[in-house]
Amino acid sequence: MVKKIFRNTFLTSLVAVILSVGLILFIFYGYFEEQLVANLKAEGKLLANGVKHAGIEYFENFEPTEGMRITWIDQDGEVLYDSMADISSMDNHSQREEIIEAFEKGEADTIRHSDTLAERTIYYAKLLEDNTVIRISYGYNTMVGVFFSMLQPVLLGMLILSLAVYVVSSYTAKAVVKPINEIDIESGEIQEIKGYDEIKPLLKRIRRQNLQIDTKVRQLKREHERREDFRREFTANVSHELKTPLTSISGISEMMLNGIIKEDDIPEFAGNINKEASRLISLVNDIILISELEGNEQYMQKEEVNIAELAASVIKRLEIPAAKRHVKMSLSVVDRDGKEVNIQEHMPEMTVFGVYNMIEQLIFNLSDNAIKYNKESGSVNIIVTECKKTVKITVEDTGIGIADEDKKSVFERFYRVDKGRSKEVGGTGLGLSIVKHVALYHGGGVHAEDRPGGGTRMIAELPK
Ligand code: ADP
């Protein structure tokens, strides 16, 4: 920037200086030329007067100005006298412009270029009473001539001027940029800089952007910290959750090895080991699923997933655990007009664009919980409803219900309302957090409500 300002100022000033000097020279030169003509005329008249009274002798006593030449010409154009040249070598002057005009009008002045552009001669001719013409002339330098004859001082002057312009321009450039450099962009305040009103909007924009960046950085930091906390907590939770069944398994098997357990009790203890091992497997499976969901989301293939059909297949998968608890499962499908579809006749297309396995896991976890936290001989109803922009999956049970204060927390990882019960039914504490994750990933959501008449109603909505 300094360079650019310097270059512009320097060039502009230099051109301005050269133009002004040229203009001044031109004006003065015009004036000088005018003066020259006037002087010459005056001297010519004086001379003519002298010759009129004193005749040819007058020339002998006349002292012309330095550089001035006097020529006397008779009516035929023959040179009678010349102050600089031998008249015998001079040709006839009758055709010279000023001579012709002097014979016609009594006097004439003219300026003629010499062979070079550098010199000019000014002539003044006056007709005398005896029909002769007296002419005086003066050779002088033209502008070009003056320039070249004064080349050295001119160049020197230009050099000094350029130097001065250089110094001034470089100072100006630095002075212009200095206040801008001194702006404290980081400071929250918009500073007033005298004479720099035009950059105020820019400063405002920078400040606004700075604020935005600040907010974003703080947001990212918070997000990072949250994730870090979460990861730490998750790891601690996972270790704890893994340790409990492993401790049981290890303790029971050790007792078996040591023969502490009676032969008759072995099936019961082996059953316990089996239960703990199953819990471990479910837990590890859920952890793997969660890390897959977190890490590979972008690589998961999305497709049209028919939710009604998927719900029916989940119910099939859960037939055995449901039967064990004597829980009856059913599926209702409601179309966009609010009418229940007869799914025995045909399974309607109620699709969302999503990841098949993820959505299957969502419906499975909700339905699995509805069985696990149900009452003996209860029922579970899955209702798939097509809405304008979403497909709603409602899983209703007639079970123990969720207290209002837990309705939000149950979606957090490892949150369990009743740890004992969760353990007993083989829960991992991760099921609903996977549900929430899947719903959010698809741009939807999930929440828990009370089912009128008792039990829980879980509602997940997925955009089409
Ligand atoms: P878990 O593996 O313990 O079932 P979830 O994340 O699936 O973990 O559920 C978290 C907790 O929410 C459960 O431990 C349970 O207390 C409660 N819960 C989930 N679903 C239901 C439901 N349908 N009825 C009552 N409580 C439920």
Side-chain angles (χ1 to χ4, degrees):
M1 188 168 170
V2 176
K3 255 190 195 158
K4 199 175 165 128
I5 296 178
F6 165 74
R7 214 170 36 226
N8 285 350
T9 325
F10 180 66
L11 287 178
T12 317
S13 316
L14 201 64
V15 169
V17 166
I18 291 174
L19 282 182
S20 346
V21 169
L23 189 71
I24 290 169
L25 273 183
F26 184 77
I27 292 170
F28 272 101
Y29 189 80
Y31 177 71
F32 155 78
E33 219 169 28
E34 245 171 52
Q35 282 293 310
L36 214 61
V37 175
N39 279 349
L40 206 71
K41 268 186 179 173
E43 212 151 339
K45 276 179 188 154
L46 209 70
L47 194 66
N49 233 359
V51 172
K52 190 175 144 192
H53 290 112
I56 182 94
E57 298 95 77
Y58 186 79
F59 290 120
E60 270 127 51
N61 304 321
F62 187 78
E63 285 225 7
T65 316
E66 167 97 11
M68 193 178 281
R69 179 178 184 178
I70 303 167
T71 317
W72 191 25
I73 300 135
D74 73 5
Q75 60 200 61
D76 303 320
E78 290 299 326
V79 179
L80 300 174
Y81 171 82
D82 191 273
S83 64
M84 281 188 182
D86 177 8
I87 54 168
S88 59
S89 65
M90 290 175 75
D91 52 4
N92 192 289
H93 272 40
S94 61
Q95 289 314 304
R96 302 282 165 101
E97 193 187 331
E98 69 280 1
I99 306 293
I100 296 172
E101 208 182 315
F103 276 120
E104 273 173 17
K105 295 181 181 162
E107 65 175 347
D109 62 87
T110 177
I111 294 172
R112 267 206 300 277
H113 272 286
S114 313
D115 301 338
T116 62
L117 267 179
E119 259 186 33
R120 252 199 300 232
T121 309
I122 181 164
Y123 297 94
Y124 174 72
K126 190 165 171 60
L127 184 67
L128 302 183
E129 274 169 2
D130 61 355
N131 241 359
T132 58
V133 168
I134 191 137
R135 183 188 79 174
I136 57 175
S137 61
Y138 184 76
Y140 63 100
N141 281 332
T142 59
M143 279 268 264
V144 182
V146 171
F147 181 80
F148 281 108
S149 67
M150 291 168 64
L151 199 59
Q152 247 180 359
V154 165
L155 283 183
L156 191 71
M158 295 254 266
L159 194 74
I160 292 170
L161 266 180
S162 304
L163 252 140
V165 169
Y166 179 94
V167 171
V168 170
S169 304
S170 117
Y171 172 78
T172 311
K174 279 182 197 144
V176 166
V177 174
K178 198 169 167 241
I180 299 178
N181 273 338
E182 280 170 357
I183 298 172
D184 182 5
I185 288 186
E186 273 96 52
S187 110
E189 296 298 308
I190 299 280
Q191 297 140 54
E192 292 282 340
I193 318 172
K194 255 198 167 152
Y196 284 80
D197 288 347
E198 290 83 354
I199 64 168
K200 227 171 154 183
L202 175 73
L203 288 180
K204 272 193 180 150
R205 255 199 326 268
I206 294 176
R207 162 133 174 78
R208 217 175 21 240
Q209 248 162 25
N210 274 354
L211 281 180
Q212 274 168 3
I213 293 169
D214 263 10
T215 319
K216 196 90 219 162
V217 167
R218 241 173 290 154
Q219 232 172 37
L220 286 175
K221 247 190 195 153
R222 265 205 304 275
E223 180 72 14
H224 180 73
E225 277 165 13
R226 213 175 55 80
R227 272 174 183 269
E228 266 312 296
D229 285 352
F230 175 77
R231 214 171 287 277
R232 228 173 290 129
E233 200 186 304
F234 185 65
T235 316
N237 278 333
V238 165
S239 321
H240 177 75
E241 296 290 332
L242 288 175
K243 214 172 143 189
T244 319
L246 279 174
T247 313
S248 288
I249 292 171
S250 147
I252 297 169
S253 54
E254 200 180 310
M255 287 201 289
M256 280 176 161
L257 270 178
N258 294 342
I260 296 172
I261 295 167
K262 283 187 230 141
E263 193 96 13
D264 291 349
D265 294 334
I266 283 184
E268 190 197 328
F269 281 94
N272 284 343
I273 290 181
N274 183 265
K275 208 165 150 189
E276 295 293 348
S278 305
R279 250 172 59 71
L280 268 180
I281 292 170
S282 317
L283 188 66
V284 170
N285 278 340
D286 276 355
I287 292 169
I288 291 173
L289 197 75
I290 282 193
S291 54
E292 264 177 12
L293 283 179
E294 290 207 327
N296 302 313
E297 281 162 349
Q298 60 267 47
Y299 304 114
M300 289 191 191
Q301 191 71 43
K302 278 193 173 178
E303 58 189 307
E304 292 292 340
V305 181
N306 188 344
I307 303 295
E309 212 168 69
L310 192 54
S313 85
V314 168
I315 289 177
K316 242 192 157 51
R317 270 177 67 196
L318 285 168
E319 255 171 10
I320 295 168
K324 268 190 189 161
R325 307 207 65 222
H326 307 288
V327 169
K328 211 173 114 280
M329 295 193 80
S330 61
L331 170 68
S332 338
V333 177
V334 180
D335 69 12
R336 273 188 71 171
D337 305 323
K339 275 199 226 112
E340 192 168 342
V341 183
N342 187 344
I343 51 172
Q344 251 63 48
E345 271 177 16
H346 87 109
M347 188 57 83
E349 286 269 318
M350 238 164 239
T351 58
V352 298
F353 189 67
V355 183
Y356 186 93
N357 289 339
M358 280 169 101
I359 298 172
E360 184 182 33
Q361 194 70 43
L362 177 145
I363 302 175
F364 183 91
N365 287 3
L366 290 179
S367 312
D368 188 41
N369 280 351
I371 297 169
K372 286 193 305 195
Y373 301 104
N374 217 315
K375 289 179 178 141
E376 195 73 22
S377 309
S379 64
V380 173
N381 189 24
I382 304 178
I383 308 147
V384 177
T385 316
E386 182 169 19
C387 305
K388 213 168 153 193
K389 289 185 174 155
T390 59
V391 172
K392 204 156 82 177
I393 306 158
T394 309
V395 181
E396 285 183 347
D397 63 58
T398 53
I400 56 172
I402 302 173
D404 280 347
E405 64 265 28
D406 293 320
K407 282 198 175 77
K408 265 209 157 91
S409 317
V410 287
F411 295 99
E412 286 166 19
R413 288 168 197 203
F414 297 113
Y415 187 89
R416 281 169 278 205
V417 178
D418 178 350
K419 204 155 183 168
R421 172 147 191 160
S422 165
K423 224 171 162 179
E424 196 186 302
V425 294
T428 61
L430 291 172
L432 286 183
S433 76
I434 293 173
V435 168
K436 187 176 161 191
H437 196 110
V438 172
L440 291 181
Y441 172 68
H442 284 86
V446 60
H447 69 276
E449 286 177 7
D450 287 332
R451 174 182 167 275
T456 307
R457 178 186 270 165
M458 290 284 184
I459 301 169
E461 265 191 282
L462 302 176
K464 287 176 181 169

